[in-house]
Amino acid sequence: MTSSGLPNEYDAVLGGQALPPLDTPVLGGLDRAKFLRHRLLEIYRSGMRSFTAQDLSGIDLSGASLYHVNLARSDLSRSKLVATNLRGASLTETKFCNADLGSANLTDAVLFGADLQNANLRYACLFGADLRLANLLGADLRGADLFGADLSHTLNLAVRQVEATQNWQQAKYDADFRKKLRLPPELRFSK
């Protein structure tokens, strides 16, 4: 190394500042989670909004703003998305097993066919979210706001889960589940 801090001709140096592509294999654990967060947010800020079919398991995106992001068919198992803004996000068939989505903003998010087994959705905002065919086995929905959410034909949804939420009477359900909730039949208007 020279006195100016620049490397000599034969000094070993690290590569440039550019990170490898998002799908490059990296170490596991905390280093992997930090790398994925940094890389995903860097790409998102550059204007790219689509990260379909990515392995992002264990990532911590708590508090991030990912408005209209496309994470369809991605694996976000065991991820931390506490208070994350996922408004209008495309999360079709995304895996959220054991993920923490507490207080997340999922307004108008498309969670069609998502796997939310054992996910924490406490106090999440699900205004107008599409949860059709989502697997909610063991999901914690306490305090979540379901106003206008579509829960038609969800899988493994229990009455006790729904009754622990806010505005559950204003959500959409299939006819059989409406009966279980003791709600009147949905009004249908013809043209």
Side-chain angles (χ1 to χ4, degrees):
M1 190 75 74
T2 64
S3 60
S4 65
L6 296 172
N8 290 317
E9 184 179 355
Y10 297 106
D11 286 345
V13 294
L14 294 173
Q17 297 299 318
L19 292 169
L22 191 59
D23 56 357
T24 300
V26 293
L27 297 174
L30 191 57
D31 289 338
R32 178 182 182 278
K34 284 182 181 179
F35 168 80
L36 288 174
R37 177 186 172 90
H38 176 75
R39 184 66 179 138
L40 185 118
L41 292 176
E42 179 183 86
I43 294 169
Y44 182 84
R45 287 182 193 121
S46 75
M48 183 178 166
R49 299 286 187 265
S50 185
F51 304 93
T52 59
Q54 294 291 327
D55 179 4
L56 301 170
S57 56
I59 193 169
D60 185 348
L61 292 169
S62 296
S65 182
L66 298 171
Y67 180 76
H68 278 289
V69 72
N70 181 357
L71 290 162
R73 292 178 304 286
S74 293
D75 185 356
L76 286 155
S77 299
R78 300 173 317 284
S79 60
K80 290 185 181 181
L81 299 157
V82 177
T84 299
N85 181 5
L86 291 162
R87 183 182 183 115
S90 178
L91 304 166
T92 301
E93 297 178 7
T94 299
K95 292 180 186 175
F96 288 104
C97 299
N98 300 297
D100 190 350
L101 291 145
S103 300
N105 182 357
L106 292 157
T107 300
D108 297 324
V110 179
L111 290 147
F112 182 89
D115 190 351
L116 291 152
Q117 286 186 65
N118 301 310
N120 173 20
L121 289 157
R122 273 186 252 165
Y123 301 102
C125 180
L126 293 160
F127 288 174
D130 181 354
L131 289 151
R132 291 175 297 147
L133 298 178
N135 184 357
L136 293 165
L137 180 68
D140 187 351
L141 296 167
R142 287 179 285 175
D145 197 331
L146 298 181
F147 188 90
D150 191 344
L151 292 140
S152 304
H153 308 288
T154 53
L155 306 174
N156 303 306
L157 182 62
V159 170
R160 64 175 170 67
Q161 285 173 292
V162 172
E163 290 177 341
T165 68
Q166 299 174 34
N167 297 315
W168 60 269
Q169 298 90 342
Q170 287 80 31
K172 298 174 190 172
Y173 307 97
D174 54 82
D176 291 337
F177 203 76
R178 289 184 71 79
K179 287 178 187 174
K180 290 179 183 178
L181 291 169
R182 297 176 304 283
L183 290 172
E186 191 172 39
L187 297 176
R188 302 234 184 242
F189 298 99
S190 58
K191 292 184 180 184

mmCIF file of all heavy atoms in Angstrom, residues 124-160:
data_model
loop_
_atom_site.group_PDB
_atom_site.id
_atom_site.type_symbol
_atom_site.label_atom_id
_atom_site.label_comp_id
_atom_site.label_asym_id
_atom_site.label_seq_id
_atom_site.Cartn_x
_atom_site.Cartn_y
_atom_site.Cartn_z
ATOM 1 N N ALA A 124 -52.313 -6.145 11.639
ATOM 2 C CA ALA A 124 -52.024 -5.843 10.231
ATOM 3 C C ALA A 124 -53.246 -5.180 9.599
ATOM 4 O O ALA A 124 -54.387 -5.470 9.954
ATOM 5 C CB ALA A 124 -51.671 -7.120 9.470
ATOM 6 N N CYS A 125 -53.003 -4.287 8.675
ATOM 7 C CA CYS A 125 -54.077 -3.625 7.941
ATOM 8 C C CYS A 125 -54.306 -4.411 6.653
ATOM 9 O O CYS A 125 -53.445 -4.426 5.769
ATOM 10 C CB CYS A 125 -53.693 -2.180 7.630
ATOM 11 S SG CYS A 125 -54.982 -1.321 6.736
ATOM 12 N N LEU A 126 -55.459 -5.062 6.560
ATOM 13 C CA LEU A 126 -55.787 -5.879 5.397
ATOM 14 C C LEU A 126 -56.966 -5.286 4.623
ATOM 15 O O LEU A 126 -57.738 -6.014 4.004
ATOM 16 C CB LEU A 126 -56.089 -7.317 5.847
ATOM 17 C CG LEU A 126 -54.892 -8.086 6.410
ATOM 18 C CD1 LEU A 126 -55.342 -9.274 7.253
ATOM 19 C CD2 LEU A 126 -53.982 -8.538 5.291
ATOM 20 N N PHE A 127 -57.120 -3.955 4.644
ATOM 21 C CA PHE A 127 -58.206 -3.286 3.909
ATOM 22 C C PHE A 127 -58.191 -3.751 2.456
ATOM 23 O O PHE A 127 -57.197 -3.586 1.751
ATOM 24 C CB PHE A 127 -58.008 -1.767 3.852
ATOM 25 C CG PHE A 127 -58.226 -1.006 5.126
ATOM 26 C CD1 PHE A 127 -57.938 0.345 5.147
ATOM 27 C CD2 PHE A 127 -58.690 -1.590 6.280
ATOM 28 C CE1 PHE A 127 -58.116 1.098 6.290
ATOM 29 C CE2 PHE A 127 -58.872 -0.854 7.433
ATOM 30 C CZ PHE A 127 -58.588 0.492 7.432
ATOM 31 N N GLY A 128 -59.263 -4.326 1.992
ATOM 32 C CA GLY A 128 -59.393 -4.689 0.588
ATOM 33 C C GLY A 128 -58.408 -5.731 0.086
ATOM 34 O O GLY A 128 -58.279 -5.928 -1.118
ATOM 35 N N ALA A 129 -57.710 -6.404 0.973
ATOM 36 C CA ALA A 129 -56.730 -7.415 0.550
ATOM 37 C C ALA A 129 -57.443 -8.641 -0.019
ATOM 38 O O ALA A 129 -58.516 -9.016 0.428
ATOM 39 C CB ALA A 129 -55.850 -7.829 1.730
ATOM 40 N N ASP A 130 -56.835 -9.262 -1.012
ATOM 41 C CA ASP A 130 -57.376 -10.470 -1.637
ATOM 42 C C ASP A 130 -56.694 -11.679 -1.015
ATOM 43 O O ASP A 130 -55.539 -11.975 -1.323
ATOM 44 C CB ASP A 130 -57.119 -10.424 -3.143
ATOM 45 C CG ASP A 130 -57.681 -11.634 -3.882
ATOM 46 O OD1 ASP A 130 -58.170 -12.581 -3.225
ATOM 47 O OD2 ASP A 130 -57.610 -11.632 -5.124
ATOM 48 N N LEU A 131 -57.416 -12.378 -0.140
ATOM 49 C CA LEU A 131 -56.885 -13.557 0.549
ATOM 50 C C LEU A 131 -57.565 -14.842 0.069
ATOM 51 O O LEU A 131 -57.519 -15.867 0.757
ATOM 52 C CB LEU A 131 -57.074 -13.398 2.058
ATOM 53 C CG LEU A 131 -56.165 -12.351 2.698
ATOM 54 C CD1 LEU A 131 -56.804 -11.742 3.918
ATOM 55 C CD2 LEU A 131 -54.836 -12.968 3.040
ATOM 56 N N ARG A 132 -58.178 -14.797 -1.098
ATOM 57 C CA ARG A 132 -58.834 -15.999 -1.615
ATOM 58 C C ARG A 132 -57.822 -17.135 -1.749
ATOM 59 O O ARG A 132 -56.709 -16.932 -2.220
ATOM 60 C CB ARG A 132 -59.482 -15.722 -2.972
ATOM 61 C CG ARG A 132 -60.684 -14.788 -2.873
ATOM 62 C CD ARG A 132 -61.235 -14.428 -4.230
ATOM 63 N NE ARG A 132 -60.202 -13.698 -4.979
ATOM 64 C CZ ARG A 132 -60.050 -13.764 -6.298
ATOM 65 N NH1 ARG A 132 -60.850 -14.505 -7.036
ATOM 66 N NH2 ARG A 132 -59.096 -13.074 -6.895
ATOM 67 N N LEU A 133 -58.213 -18.309 -1.303
ATOM 68 C CA LEU A 133 -57.408 -19.534 -1.350
ATOM 69 C C LEU A 133 -56.110 -19.457 -0.539
ATOM 70 O O LEU A 133 -55.240 -20.310 -0.674
ATOM 71 C CB LEU A 133 -57.109 -19.953 -2.790
ATOM 72 C CG LEU A 133 -58.331 -20.292 -3.634
ATOM 73 C CD1 LEU A 133 -57.908 -20.639 -5.062
ATOM 74 C CD2 LEU A 133 -59.134 -21.426 -3.036
ATOM 75 N N ALA A 134 -55.972 -18.441 0.302
ATOM 76 C CA ALA A 134 -54.790 -18.360 1.172
ATOM 77 C C ALA A 134 -54.921 -19.392 2.291
ATOM 78 O O ALA A 134 -56.017 -19.665 2.770
ATOM 79 C CB ALA A 134 -54.667 -16.959 1.763
ATOM 80 N N ASN A 135 -53.798 -19.965 2.707
ATOM 81 C CA ASN A 135 -53.778 -20.922 3.804
ATOM 82 C C ASN A 135 -53.492 -20.163 5.098
ATOM 83 O O ASN A 135 -52.403 -19.637 5.280
ATOM 84 C CB ASN A 135 -52.718 -21.991 3.566
ATOM 85 C CG ASN A 135 -52.731 -23.065 4.634
ATOM 86 O OD1 ASN A 135 -53.487 -23.005 5.589
ATOM 87 N ND2 ASN A 135 -51.878 -24.054 4.464
ATOM 88 N N LEU A 136 -54.477 -20.130 5.996
ATOM 89 C CA LEU A 136 -54.361 -19.373 7.235
ATOM 90 C C LEU A 136 -54.280 -20.283 8.465
ATOM 91 O O LEU A 136 -54.604 -19.858 9.574
ATOM 92 C CB LEU A 136 -55.537 -18.401 7.359
ATOM 93 C CG LEU A 136 -55.520 -17.278 6.316
ATOM 94 C CD1 LEU A 136 -56.864 -16.580 6.238
ATOM 95 C CD2 LEU A 136 -54.420 -16.283 6.619
ATOM 96 N N LEU A 137 -53.818 -21.507 8.289
ATOM 97 C CA LEU A 137 -53.698 -22.451 9.394
ATOM 98 C C LEU A 137 -52.768 -21.888 10.467
ATOM 99 O O LEU A 137 -51.597 -21.612 10.219
ATOM 100 C CB LEU A 137 -53.151 -23.794 8.904
ATOM 101 C CG LEU A 137 -52.970 -24.869 9.978
ATOM 102 C CD1 LEU A 137 -54.335 -25.312 10.507
ATOM 103 C CD2 LEU A 137 -52.210 -26.063 9.415
ATOM 104 N N GLY A 138 -53.298 -21.674 11.668
ATOM 105 C CA GLY A 138 -52.494 -21.192 12.789
ATOM 106 C C GLY A 138 -52.082 -19.741 12.699
ATOM 107 O O GLY A 138 -51.317 -19.266 13.544
ATOM 108 N N ALA A 139 -52.563 -19.000 11.709
ATOM 109 C CA ALA A 139 -52.199 -17.582 11.582
ATOM 110 C C ALA A 139 -52.822 -16.787 12.726
ATOM 111 O O ALA A 139 -53.972 -17.018 13.103
ATOM 112 C CB ALA A 139 -52.660 -17.024 10.246
ATOM 113 N N ASP A 140 -52.069 -15.863 13.284
ATOM 114 C CA ASP A 140 -52.547 -15.017 14.372
ATOM 115 C C ASP A 140 -53.076 -13.718 13.769
ATOM 116 O O ASP A 140 -52.309 -12.879 13.301
ATOM 117 C CB ASP A 140 -51.408 -14.727 15.353
ATOM 118 C CG ASP A 140 -51.873 -13.984 16.591
ATOM 119 O OD1 ASP A 140 -53.043 -13.528 16.624
ATOM 120 O OD2 ASP A 140 -51.068 -13.857 17.528
ATOM 121 N N LEU A 141 -54.396 -13.583 13.771
ATOM 122 C CA LEU A 141 -55.053 -12.426 13.164
ATOM 123 C C LEU A 141 -55.577 -11.433 14.202
ATOM 124 O O LEU A 141 -56.301 -10.497 13.843
ATOM 125 C CB LEU A 141 -56.222 -12.898 12.288
ATOM 126 C CG LEU A 141 -55.865 -13.757 11.082
ATOM 127 C CD1 LEU A 141 -57.103 -14.411 10.492
ATOM 128 C CD2 LEU A 141 -55.156 -12.932 10.030
ATOM 129 N N ARG A 142 -55.224 -11.606 15.453
ATOM 130 C CA ARG A 142 -55.762 -10.733 16.503
ATOM 131 C C ARG A 142 -55.492 -9.258 16.197
ATOM 132 O O ARG A 142 -54.363 -8.868 15.935
ATOM 133 C CB ARG A 142 -55.159 -11.079 17.863
ATOM 134 C CG ARG A 142 -55.691 -12.383 18.423
ATOM 135 C CD ARG A 142 -55.062 -12.696 19.735
ATOM 136 N NE ARG A 142 -53.680 -13.164 19.461
ATOM 137 C CZ ARG A 142 -52.801 -13.432 20.397
ATOM 138 N NH1 ARG A 142 -53.087 -13.272 21.660
ATOM 139 N NH2 ARG A 142 -51.591 -13.855 20.076
ATOM 140 N N GLY A 143 -56.586 -8.494 16.212
ATOM 141 C CA GLY A 143 -56.471 -7.051 16.007
ATOM 142 C C GLY A 143 -56.292 -6.623 14.562
ATOM 143 O O GLY A 143 -56.274 -5.432 14.272
ATOM 144 N N ALA A 144 -56.154 -7.568 13.636
ATOM 145 C CA ALA A 144 -56.002 -7.208 12.217
ATOM 146 C C ALA A 144 -57.300 -6.565 11.727
ATOM 147 O O ALA A 144 -58.389 -6.908 12.188
ATOM 148 C CB ALA A 144 -55.678 -8.441 11.386
ATOM 149 N N ASP A 145 -57.193 -5.633 10.800
ATOM 150 C CA ASP A 145 -58.369 -4.955 10.261
ATOM 151 C C ASP A 145 -58.736 -5.580 8.920
ATOM 152 O O ASP A 145 -57.961 -5.501 7.964
ATOM 153 C CB ASP A 145 -58.096 -3.461 10.099
ATOM 154 C CG ASP A 145 -59.377 -2.665 9.939
ATOM 155 O OD1 ASP A 145 -60.372 -3.220 9.426
ATOM 156 O OD2 ASP A 145 -59.384 -1.492 10.339
ATOM 157 N N LEU A 146 -59.920 -6.208 8.872
ATOM 158 C CA LEU A 146 -60.352 -6.941 7.681
ATOM 159 C C LEU A 146 -61.366 -6.180 6.827
ATOM 160 O O LEU A 146 -61.991 -6.769 5.956
ATOM 161 C CB LEU A 146 -60.970 -8.284 8.098
ATOM 162 C CG LEU A 146 -60.074 -9.276 8.818
ATOM 163 C CD1 LEU A 146 -60.846 -10.552 9.137
ATOM 164 C CD2 LEU A 146 -58.833 -9.597 7.993
ATOM 165 N N PHE A 147 -61.525 -4.888 7.040
ATOM 166 C CA PHE A 147 -62.535 -4.135 6.290
ATOM 167 C C PHE A 147 -62.330 -4.324 4.781
ATOM 168 O O PHE A 147 -61.289 -3.984 4.227
ATOM 169 C CB PHE A 147 -62.468 -2.640 6.634
ATOM 170 C CG PHE A 147 -63.598 -1.862 6.042
ATOM 171 C CD1 PHE A 147 -64.770 -1.707 6.740
ATOM 172 C CD2 PHE A 147 -63.485 -1.304 4.779
ATOM 173 C CE1 PHE A 147 -65.828 -0.989 6.191
ATOM 174 C CE2 PHE A 147 -64.524 -0.599 4.218
ATOM 175 C CZ PHE A 147 -65.712 -0.434 4.925
ATOM 176 N N GLY A 148 -63.331 -4.891 4.120
ATOM 177 C CA GLY A 148 -63.287 -5.081 2.672
ATOM 178 C C GLY A 148 -62.364 -6.184 2.183
ATOM 179 O O GLY A 148 -62.222 -6.380 0.974
ATOM 180 N N ALA A 149 -61.725 -6.921 3.075
ATOM 181 C CA ALA A 149 -60.831 -8.017 2.657
ATOM 182 C C ALA A 149 -61.658 -9.155 2.074
ATOM 183 O O ALA A 149 -62.773 -9.426 2.521
ATOM 184 C CB ALA A 149 -60.019 -8.518 3.846
ATOM 185 N N ASP A 150 -61.132 -9.828 1.073
ATOM 186 C CA ASP A 150 -61.819 -10.962 0.460
ATOM 187 C C ASP A 150 -61.236 -12.257 1.009
ATOM 188 O O ASP A 150 -60.118 -12.649 0.668
ATOM 189 C CB ASP A 150 -61.673 -10.920 -1.063
ATOM 190 C CG ASP A 150 -62.581 -11.917 -1.765
ATOM 191 O OD1 ASP A 150 -63.105 -12.846 -1.093
ATOM 192 O OD2 ASP A 150 -62.770 -11.778 -2.987
ATOM 193 N N LEU A 151 -62.001 -12.908 1.881
ATOM 194 C CA LEU A 151 -61.590 -14.164 2.507
ATOM 195 C C LEU A 151 -62.400 -15.337 1.946
ATOM 196 O O LEU A 151 -62.552 -16.362 2.605
ATOM 197 C CB LEU A 151 -61.758 -14.067 4.025
ATOM 198 C CG LEU A 151 -60.781 -13.081 4.666
ATOM 199 C CD1 LEU A 151 -61.436 -12.272 5.754
ATOM 200 C CD2 LEU A 151 -59.577 -13.813 5.183
ATOM 201 N N SER A 152 -62.910 -15.194 0.729
ATOM 202 C CA SER A 152 -63.679 -16.258 0.100
ATOM 203 C C SER A 152 -62.788 -17.470 -0.145
ATOM 204 O O SER A 152 -61.698 -17.342 -0.688
ATOM 205 C CB SER A 152 -64.243 -15.796 -1.250
ATOM 206 O OG SER A 152 -65.020 -14.643 -1.095
ATOM 207 N N HIS A 153 -63.277 -18.601 0.280
ATOM 208 C CA HIS A 153 -62.609 -19.883 0.021
ATOM 209 C C HIS A 153 -61.187 -19.954 0.564
ATOM 210 O O HIS A 153 -60.331 -20.631 -0.002
ATOM 211 C CB HIS A 153 -62.644 -20.215 -1.477
ATOM 212 C CG HIS A 153 -64.023 -20.144 -2.050
ATOM 213 N ND1 HIS A 153 -64.988 -21.082 -1.771
ATOM 214 C CD2 HIS A 153 -64.613 -19.220 -2.842
ATOM 215 C CE1 HIS A 153 -66.111 -20.739 -2.389
ATOM 216 N NE2 HIS A 153 -65.914 -19.610 -3.044
ATOM 217 N N THR A 154 -60.918 -19.236 1.656
ATOM 218 C CA THR A 154 -59.607 -19.372 2.298
ATOM 219 C C THR A 154 -59.507 -20.769 2.895
ATOM 220 O O THR A 154 -60.515 -21.419 3.164
ATOM 221 C CB THR A 154 -59.398 -18.323 3.413
ATOM 222 O OG1 THR A 154 -60.491 -18.394 4.303
ATOM 223 C CG2 THR A 154 -59.259 -16.932 2.851
ATOM 224 N N LEU A 155 -58.300 -21.220 3.104
ATOM 225 C CA LEU A 155 -58.069 -22.553 3.635
ATOM 226 C C LEU A 155 -57.721 -22.459 5.115
ATOM 227 O O LEU A 155 -56.939 -21.599 5.523
ATOM 228 C CB LEU A 155 -56.921 -23.222 2.874
ATOM 229 C CG LEU A 155 -57.075 -23.263 1.346
ATOM 230 C CD1 LEU A 155 -55.810 -23.810 0.709
ATOM 231 C CD2 LEU A 155 -58.286 -24.081 0.949
ATOM 232 N N ASN A 156 -58.294 -23.358 5.892
ATOM 233 C CA ASN A 156 -57.972 -23.499 7.317
ATOM 234 C C ASN A 156 -58.235 -22.240 8.135
ATOM 235 O O ASN A 156 -57.494 -21.932 9.056
ATOM 236 C CB ASN A 156 -56.515 -23.946 7.487
ATOM 237 C CG ASN A 156 -56.235 -25.232 6.752
ATOM 238 O OD1 ASN A 156 -56.919 -26.225 6.950
ATOM 239 N ND2 ASN A 156 -55.241 -25.208 5.872
ATOM 240 N N LEU A 157 -59.291 -21.526 7.796
ATOM 241 C CA LEU A 157 -59.677 -20.334 8.546
ATOM 242 C C LEU A 157 -60.729 -20.736 9.572
ATOM 243 O O LEU A 157 -61.713 -21.392 9.243
ATOM 244 C CB LEU A 157 -60.238 -19.267 7.614
ATOM 245 C CG LEU A 157 -60.653 -17.946 8.241
ATOM 246 C CD1 LEU A 157 -59.457 -17.245 8.890
ATOM 247 C CD2 LEU A 157 -61.283 -17.038 7.189
ATOM 248 N N ALA A 158 -60.522 -20.360 10.818
ATOM 249 C CA ALA A 158 -61.449 -20.699 11.890
ATOM 250 C C ALA A 158 -62.249 -19.467 12.312
ATOM 251 O O ALA A 158 -61.759 -18.337 12.224
ATOM 252 C CB ALA A 158 -60.679 -21.254 13.097
ATOM 253 N N VAL A 159 -63.459 -19.704 12.789
ATOM 254 C CA VAL A 159 -64.322 -18.619 13.251
ATOM 255 C C VAL A 159 -63.621 -17.817 14.345
ATOM 256 O O VAL A 159 -63.657 -16.582 14.338
ATOM 257 C CB VAL A 159 -65.674 -19.194 13.755
ATOM 258 C CG1 VAL A 159 -66.492 -18.134 14.466
ATOM 259 C CG2 VAL A 159 -66.454 -19.788 12.589
ATOM 260 N N ARG A 160 -62.960 -18.482 15.273
ATOM 261 C CA ARG A 160 -62.282 -17.778 16.375
ATOM 262 C C ARG A 160 -61.189 -16.836 15.849
ATOM 263 O O ARG A 160 -60.966 -15.768 16.423
ATOM 264 C CB ARG A 160 -61.710 -18.752 17.395
ATOM 265 C CG ARG A 160 -60.632 -19.651 16.855
ATOM 266 C CD ARG A 160 -59.979 -20.549 17.901
ATOM 267 N NE ARG A 160 -59.128 -21.536 17.269
ATOM 268 C CZ ARG A 160 -58.003 -21.271 16.619
ATOM 269 N NH1 ARG A 160 -57.575 -20.038 16.519
ATOM 270 N NH2 ARG A 160 -57.300 -22.237 16.060
#
